[in-house]
Amino acid sequence: MPSEHDDAATRAWRVEAIRRIEADYNRSADTHLIRLDLPRYPGIPLYLKDESSHPTGSLKHRLARSLFLYALCNGWIGPDTVVIEASSGSTAVSEAYFAKMLGLRFIAVVPATTAVPKLDAIRFHGGDIHAVDDPRTVYDVAQRLAAETGGHYLDQFTYAERATDWRGNNNIAESIFAQMAAEEHPVPAWIVCGAGTGGTSATIGRYIRYQRHATRLCVADPVHSVFHRHFADRTAQSLPGGCASCIEGIGRPRVEPSFVPTVIDRMIAVDDADSIGAMRAISTRLGRRVGGSTGTNIAACVQLIGEMAARGETGSVVTILCDGGERYGCTYYDDGWLAERGIAWQAQEASAAALFAPVR
Ligand SMILES: *Cc1c(COP(=O)(O)O)cnc(C)c1O
């Protein structure tokens, strides 16, 4: 934590820090909303909110910006504060970007087994790595490092849902609805997203209700995650064996404080092989690679769209392209890596590809 007294130098620093974040935002364009017409499902267009186009490549760019602004305005970060996070993934990459922008040291506490390309991405943005042997200790170690250095632990899993302005401020939900305005079905029948921190689903779910839209929110969750179990039975709080899913960014072994089940209308559990199959099918359709959690979203969309068509309904379905495929070349796009893990995705890819196929 910065010093107790908010002196003139600290105030001036904070003003400049917030200006830099706002100026960066002011220079940025919104992320694209890609429309995909599905020839076999006339009247049910699918839209992808492309969060891979942020400067740090994922939807965590929004979260990192919100966490920094929240901490700055709360007086939790000052000119000499070391900023710390427990993350080996996209969150640390985006947070390193903002820390560098403010001239602050950033430390990512990561499991020692974290893949080198991910560590490289954090270091690329100027972040330091603190590796720990036992992955379960990352939260405690981050907390301890913050105490030792007088730093600030950003704690995405606690603060994601409250650091984001769910009523507006061009959050992901407001942006989606604004970009849908001129479509023939401007109010989506469904919005589909995943849950890692739960921040995205909390923001979208609250926004839908606040705006009194008829849209329903579906969260696609890996089979080996506790979130959909908790949604069905609130006494389910953790998975003793940990989260065995390999889909990065989503699915958790414990119900995170930022996960808000009461704003969700439905959850669909998706097998990893279905996620990988759908990821490959949507990558082929787009002509570029996307990450695994986008595949999980698409797999849930396949199910929802099939159900809508069976009931004779029309309407739009919106989901999130969470990140691109660059970081997954040695994993989800490596047939050998998948085979080693017993993930047989080929049949699932073919069935997901049918969503985009022409009418015969
Ligand atoms: C974090 C993350 C998600 C889930 O978003 P939350 O807002 O944390 O629930 C999905 N996909 C990827 C790639 C992520 O990094």
Side-chain angles (χ1 to χ4, degrees), residues 95-112:
E95 289 168 345
Y97 170 91
F98 285 99
K100 188 179 189 179
M101 182 187 295
L102 305 187
L104 299 174
R105 183 168 179 219
F106 176 76
I107 305 173
V109 180
V110 307

Side-chain angles (χ1 to χ4, degrees), residues 2-13:
S3 59
E4 299 298 314
H5 56 282
D6 196 14
D7 56 38
T10 303
R11 291 170 72 99
W13 181 85

Side-chain angles (χ1 to χ4, degrees), residues 113-326:
T113 51
T114 304
V116 173
K118 294 167 76 184
L119 302 181
D120 287 345
I122 296 167
R123 289 199 190 97
F124 175 80
H125 288 289
D128 291 335
I129 305 293
H130 183 103
V132 297
D133 289 330
D134 181 351
R136 290 168 302 186
T137 63
V138 289
Y139 312 104
D140 292 340
V141 172
Q143 193 78 65
R144 201 195 69 220
L145 273 180
E148 283 171 10
T149 59
H152 174 62
Y153 170 29
L154 286 164
D155 193 358
Q156 57 169 336
F157 291 109
T158 300
Y159 293 107
E161 58 89 5
R162 68 193 88 160
T164 301
D165 298 326
W166 54 270
R167 293 179 193 83
N169 188 17
N170 195 40
N171 68 42
I172 190 167
E174 188 176 52
S175 169
I176 288 170
F177 278 91
Q179 290 176 321
M180 287 295 291
E183 301 304 302
E184 65 267 50
H185 298 289
V187 174
W190 287 98
I191 297 181
V192 179
C193 69
T197 63
T200 304
S201 53
T203 301
I204 295 173
R206 288 166 177 162
Y207 184 86
I208 289 169
R209 291 179 179 189
Y210 180 56
Q211 293 292 330
R212 304 183 297 279
H213 287 309
T215 306
R216 281 168 295 169
L217 174 63
C218 174
V219 170
D221 197 34
V223 167
H224 299 288
S225 164
V226 77
F227 288 137
H228 64 92
R229 294 181 169 80
H230 180 73
F231 182 73
D233 169 7
R234 296 296 149 86
T235 65
Q237 290 292 342
S238 65
L239 285 182
C243 179
S245 170
C246 72
I247 307 300
E248 278 180 34
I250 58 169
R252 300 289 302 164
R254 63 166 199 189
V255 179
E256 302 298 345
S258 266
F259 179 71
V260 183
T262 49
V263 303
I264 299 166
D265 295 295
R266 178 166 174 186
M267 291 193 71
I268 294 179
V270 180
D271 195 58
D272 284 0
D274 284 313
S275 292
I276 300 296
M279 175 200 81
R280 292 205 175 198
I282 186 70
S283 296
T284 301
R285 173 65 182 81
L286 293 172
R288 65 185 162 108
R289 289 176 170 184
V290 302
S293 66
T294 304
T296 311
N297 289 343
I298 294 293
C301 290
V302 169
Q303 187 171 330
L304 291 173
I305 290 168
E307 291 174 7
M308 285 174 70
R311 290 192 298 262
E313 293 172 14
T314 58
S316 52
V317 176
V318 178
T319 193
I320 321 273
L321 197 172
C322 305
D323 64 356
E326 308 80 28

